[in-house]
Amino acid sequence: MRISTAGTFSSAATYMMGRQSDLAKLSTQISSGQRILTPSDDPAGAARVIELENTKARGDQLRINQTSSINTLSQAESFLGNIGDAYADMQDILAQAGNATYSDSDRKILAAELAARRDALSGLSISRDADGQPLFGSRLVRVSNSRELDVSLNSNALFGRVRDGNGVFAASADSANAGATSISAGTVADAAALDGNSYDIVVHDNVGVLTYDIINTATTATVSSGNAFSNGGTISVAGMSVKITGSPADGDSYHLMASTTRSVFQTLDDMIQALKAPVSDDVSRAQLSANIAAGLAQLDQAAETAHLTRASAGAALKEIDTLQAVNAVQDEQLQIQIAGVRDLDYTKAVTDLSQRQLVLDAAQRAYSKTLGHSLFEYL
Amino acid sequence: MTGSLLQVALSGIQAAQLGLNTTSHNIANVNTPNYNRQVTSQSSTPPVYFGAGFAGSGVRVDAITRSYSDLLTGQLRAAESQSTRSTVYAQTVDQLNSFVGDSNGSVTGAMSDFFGALQLVTTSPGDAAARQAVYASAQSVVQRFRGVDRNLTQLRDDINQRAENLVTDINSRTQEIADLGTRIVAATASGRPPNDLLDQRDAMLGELNRLARISVTAQADGSISVYLGNGQALLNGSIAQKLAMAENPLETAAPTLGVKSGSIVVSLAGNGEVGGELGGLLSARDEALTSVTVAVGRMARVFTDAINERNHLGIDPAGNAGGDIFAIDPPVAAAAASTSGSASIAVTIIDAHALKASDYRVDATASGYTVTRLSDSQQQAFASAPITIDGLRFDVTGAPTTGDRFGVRAVSDAVSTLRLAIGDATKIASASSLRIDSLSANKGTGVASVAIDSDDPALHDAAQLVFDGAGQVTITTAAGSTVLAYTAGTPIVMNGWSVYMRGTPAAGDTFQLDANTNTDGDNRNAVALAALETSEMVPGMSFNGMYAALVVDIGTKGREATAARDANEGLATSVGAAREAISGVNLDEEALNLMSYQQAYQAAGRMIGIANNLFDTILSISS
């Protein structure tokens, strides 16, 4: 085969340029540390890197959300703890006020103390978190790609909608009662028998023998009548049990009403009024202790609500803790995966580089030998 | 006798001289591209009859011809135009790859920042700094989209300008070849090939062929006909056709190649077949560039639509209903120049999530309309307007004439109109526009929360939900009452909202659903906005998935283009080597030729000396 001289030179140039561009690409890869310089180097890999980096960025964002919600939830938790403490303090004050040896003026002091606690509680109810956001409000937190945590705190539910009585029904003595008695908050003896109706217990003094009737207030039908009354004995109706202690007068009545909701501030205001009222006789004393018992029961309910809310905040915190751990592992995995797809295998790259260098070197030597000779040297 | 001896020697000297001349011409042209090695062909002159027989009378040079192979030249032209085409194509796709693959300038990076900023707003919806970050990143989303669009438009303009220049170049080269042709025809009439003129024309054809693939047929008189790759005649003897780029208002403002006939330019079919640099540019523009443009355009439309739609469902900190965050102009339909009817088409997007990454062509037919999706050339016939296809609606006003043609740029020029619709960060509707609360008389433990799923005319109508405690809930709005089944754990869905219950509502428990007015601390709509990042935007893909698909598409095109370029370069090189083996100059060979002609020359010269001696001998005898 004839070999054209110009062709030999140009093919040598083309070949060596090809090797040099390989070398240039390898050195760019080595200096950038990345295997994929443009998507065409590995289209599927480049797309995978985009997906993985996006997932990682989302993970980073979720971590910020998780941290922020941990802050919010921890604050809410400690705040709910404070509320629980405030309720306990108020219950202490109320219990003290029930002390028979206290005078009207002692109770007034306690009333003033209770009023101060009430104001402090109302201050707590408009708390804001460290970011200046209200603790009470509708809040969602996206804590994982598929989970939105509702961390809303509803001030209405916490303060405004506290059930009275024992949470199911409220037992009270009629304010017109002549006898010095008190009625317990009562318990649910048979949940299945609860019918949501209100009942009155009316005591009759039949020449020294005390009996009581039970009347359904909605229908005014008498449920039972002529039951023997015993001081401190259990009276049961429609699954509800109460105890009346003391000696009721003829016609004294007691009300068992299905529990409704009231604001805890309303209850506290009522308590403050009740403590301020002077106690002059057994009847008003009984009235006071009935009021205190009702107040204590309602504060119990409020404390219970705060406690349950705190428990759910705690559960959310625990969930986020778990998610954070999972997230950290995922982040590490993603980092490894991204590196695996995008990053350069240095050992291979450096080996390739020296191999190509060797080839280029050999080619250069070969060409300089073959191209360096011509017949014209002998002419 | 000696007279003829001198004649014979002289013919030898002349032949050797021509040989030396040809050899040195070859040596001089060793590096001339497209040079075809020349060889002298010589033969002995007719003998002279003597009594004893025929005596030789010397040598003559018959012709100086080129070592030339028609077949290999044709193959080389095909390979070279293919190689140029794929090189230009690969260069363009490389550029596209760098626009798309550049992680600093990528759209997806800006979108990721935007959603990240929204996430920050969810943690503190009232914080002005967090909102400002959303505003700033929304601006950078627009800038990135516009930046990509600028790059793409600039590339398109570059390509169109280069194509324009190439066409001018092709026209002038064709004319030069035609002019040279007339000289060749005249020289060929002498009966000997005008080697260097032919070489010159081959070189010019070679250069023309790199601009656009040509095929050449030669006539006996030395004239040639030249045809473009798509079959269009370019040169017929001495008559050259003029090419021009024809405006095509229909498809993404892409001028196509046409032939000038007077002042009219007739578009040619098969622009992709043109080959060479021009063919490479046109196919890179119509395949790779267009596919990136429509993909980015669709992304911009879907993104704008999804974010705006969600923002509409919330309320901003001032308590106002959310408006558009981004704005983008609706698609336009352009009528072709040939359209004669009075019809015009208005285009509306009815479902952005159903959009395809494609523009459309609408042809008025005798039986209605034919709509062609340009990305896959799929056609669909419609009997009448309005036409709904792929989330778009085309409303036709006026009467079209059969044969009228409209181009609908559904997505391709969307990005250039993308802009922010808000002036500040307060317009991000982070709060939900609905709230639900229990009535104080409720006896159960039920706590309700509400989420907004979609826009509905009755979304903001106040509603009362009354549970009967026996698996049913009555929803009363101004429009009347509806009874729905209620199962714990399953949301109650109506009018675009979903109410989720925790705890157990007792019989008669009532919840009131109202338009929300308290935005303080409410982040529910911001959470929904941020969640769009991972939601399915078009079937099977999130925003990120759409971008990744684009990267795969253009990356694969780039890889194929590079592979094709390397393969075609290899082919061109090997065909070139085969041609060089026949036509190229080898200096060693020429050195040998030089020596051989030199020796022939010296020997013939010696013959003259001998003839001279002989003559002297004769003269000395006579004196």
Side-chain angles (χ1 to χ4, degrees), chain A residues 2-6 39-41 43 47 54 58 61 65 68 128 133 138-140 156 161 163 261 375-376, chain B residues 30 37 97 119 123 126 438 440 442-443 520-523 534 544 552 559 580-581 584-589:
Chain A
R2 291 185 69 259
I3 303 289
S4 104
T5 307
S40 60
D41 291 337
N54 192 267
R58 271 205 306 276
Q61 190 52 53
N65 286 2
S68 146
R128 287 182 173 264
Q133 301 307 308
S138 305
R139 286 286 281 281
L140 295 175
N156 240 347
R161 304 271 165 75
R163 309 205 146 266
T261 59
L375 253 189
F376 283 96
Chain B
V30 64
R37 177 171 63 98
N97 259 296
Q119 292 278 11
T123 61
S438 55
S440 57
N442 284 358
K443 297 189 175 72
D520 197 9
D522 186 348
N523 69 350
T534 47
N544 207 39
V552 170
R559 210 176 165 80
E580 285 280 300
V585 177
N586 182 307
L587 283 179
D588 285 342
E589 183 190 38

Side-chain angles (χ1 to χ4, degrees), chain B residues 163-172 174-175 208 211-214 226-235 240-246 256-262 264-268 271 274-275 278-279 282:
Chain B
E164 197 79 50
N165 294 345
L166 282 174
V167 164
T168 315
D169 205 7
I170 290 171
N171 285 340
S172 75
T174 311
Q175 192 55 54
L208 179 61
L211 304 183
R213 182 158 66 88
I214 52 170
V226 178
Y227 301 92
L228 272 183
N230 60 1
Q232 170 65 37
L234 204 56
L235 177 68
Q241 289 279 3
K242 290 265 180 255
L243 296 181
M245 293 305 286
T256 55
L257 187 62
V259 175
K260 250 189 205 165
S261 161
I264 300 168
V265 180
V266 182
S267 287
L268 293 173
N271 278 333
V274 172
L278 184 60
L282 294 180

Side-chain angles (χ1 to χ4, degrees), chain A residues 42-53:
Chain A
D42 178 0
R48 183 97 188 95
V49 169
I50 288 181
E51 301 269 19
L52 288 172
E53 284 193 326

Side-chain angles (χ1 to χ4, degrees), chain B residues 284-362:
Chain B
R285 183 192 68 185
D286 296 343
E287 292 163 22
L289 177 56
T290 299
S291 82
V292 175
T293 311
V294 292
V296 173
R298 172 168 79 152
M299 237 170 116
R301 285 215 183 280
V302 176
F303 179 75
T304 303
D305 187 82
I307 299 287
N308 286 349
E309 189 181 52
R310 194 17 99 169
N311 205 54
H312 289 174
L313 298 180
I315 51 176
D316 65 20
N320 301 318
D324 285 353
I325 294 182
F326 297 97
I328 199 162
D329 285 355
V332 287
S338 60
T339 297
S340 57
S342 61
S344 64
I345 295 183
V347 187
T348 322
I349 296 176
I350 48 175
D351 179 8
H353 302 291
L355 284 179
K356 293 272 191 295
S358 177
D359 287 345
Y360 297 83
R361 187 169 58 226
V362 181

Side-chain angles (χ1 to χ4, degrees), chain A residues 1-9 11 14 37-44 46-48 50-55 57-58 61-62 64-65 68-69 72 128-129 131-134 136-142 145 148 150 152 154 156-157 160-161 163 167 196 258-262 312 373-376 379, chain B residues 27 30-31 37 94 97-98 100-101 108 112 115-117 119-120 122-127 437-444 449 502 520-524 527-528 530-531 533-534 544-545 547-548 551-552 554-556 558-559 562 573 577-578 580-592 594-595:
Chain A
M1 183 184 171
R2 291 185 69 259
I3 303 289
S4 104
T5 307
T8 318
F9 277 99
S11 80
T14 311
L37 297 173
T38 68
S40 60
D41 291 337
D42 178 0
R48 183 97 188 95
I50 288 181
E51 301 269 19
L52 288 172
E53 284 193 326
N54 192 267
T55 311
R58 271 205 306 276
Q61 190 52 53
L62 289 176
I64 296 175
N65 286 2
S68 146
S69 52
T72 309
R128 287 182 173 264
D129 68 10
D131 292 331
Q133 301 307 308
F136 294 94
S138 305
R139 286 286 281 281
L140 295 175
V141 182
R142 199 174 176 77
N145 283 330
E148 274 166 20
D150 190 344
S152 306
N154 190 328
N156 240 347
R161 304 271 165 75
R163 309 205 146 266
S259 172
T260 56
T261 59
R262 349 178 40 207
S312 74
H373 294 286
S374 160
L375 253 189
F376 283 96
L379 280 181
Chain B
I27 292 171
V30 64
N31 287 326
R37 177 171 63 98
D94 251 8
N97 259 296
S98 65
V100 171
T108 173
S112 174
F115 286 114
Q119 292 278 11
L120 276 181
T122 69
T123 61
S124 45
D127 183 7
D437 216 343
S438 55
L439 296 194
S440 57
N442 284 358
K443 297 189 175 72
S449 61
R502 277 177 296 165
D520 197 9
D522 186 348
N523 69 350
R524 288 174 291 165
V527 168
E533 182 177 20
T534 47
N544 207 39
Y547 196 79
V551 167
V552 170
I554 199 65
T556 311
R559 210 176 165 80
T562 312
T573 309
E580 285 280 300
I582 291 177
S583 305
V585 177
N586 182 307
L587 283 179
D588 285 342
E589 183 190 38
E590 299 303 332
L592 284 173
L594 210 54
M595 284 189 256

Side-chain angles (χ1 to χ4, degrees), chain B residues 289-490:
Chain B
L289 177 56
T290 299
S291 82
V292 175
T293 311
V294 292
V296 173
R298 172 168 79 152
M299 237 170 116
R301 285 215 183 280
V302 176
F303 179 75
T304 303
D305 187 82
I307 299 287
N308 286 349
E309 189 181 52
R310 194 17 99 169
N311 205 54
H312 289 174
L313 298 180
I315 51 176
D316 65 20
N320 301 318
D324 285 353
I325 294 182
F326 297 97
I328 199 162
D329 285 355
V332 287
S338 60
T339 297
S340 57
S342 61
S344 64
I345 295 183
V347 187
T348 322
I349 296 176
I350 48 175
D351 179 8
H353 302 291
L355 284 179
K356 293 272 191 295
S358 177
D359 287 345
Y360 297 83
R361 187 169 58 226
V362 181
D363 288 298
T365 61
S367 57
Y369 303 92
T370 302
V371 179
T372 311
R373 183 160 60 218
L374 298 180
S375 64
D376 55 5
S377 302
Q378 198 160 317
Q379 294 195 325
Q380 212 177 326
F382 293 87
S384 64
I387 299 161
T388 51
I389 183 169
D390 297 343
L392 295 164
R393 192 182 68 227
F394 306 151
D395 291 297
V396 182
T397 41
T401 312
T402 298
D404 280 0
R405 175 171 279 199
F406 300 86
V408 178
R409 285 178 218 153
V411 290
S412 63
D413 55 6
V415 182
S416 62
T417 67
L418 179 68
R419 59 198 179 272
L420 271 189
I422 51 173
D424 58 68
T426 59
K427 298 289 184 287
I428 292 147
S430 51
S432 174
S433 58
L434 285 181
R435 67 164 173 210
I436 190 164
D437 216 343
S438 55
L439 296 194
S440 57
N442 284 358
K443 297 189 175 72
T445 56
V447 178
S449 61
V450 61
I452 300 176
D453 306 320
S454 62
D455 205 356
D456 188 287
L459 178 66
H460 293 112
D461 291 358
Q464 251 191 355
L465 286 76
V466 183
F467 291 85
D468 72 348
Q472 284 195 327
V473 56
T474 306
I475 301 157
T476 310
T477 64
S481 292
T482 314
V483 178
L484 294 179
Y486 167 66
T487 319
T490 312

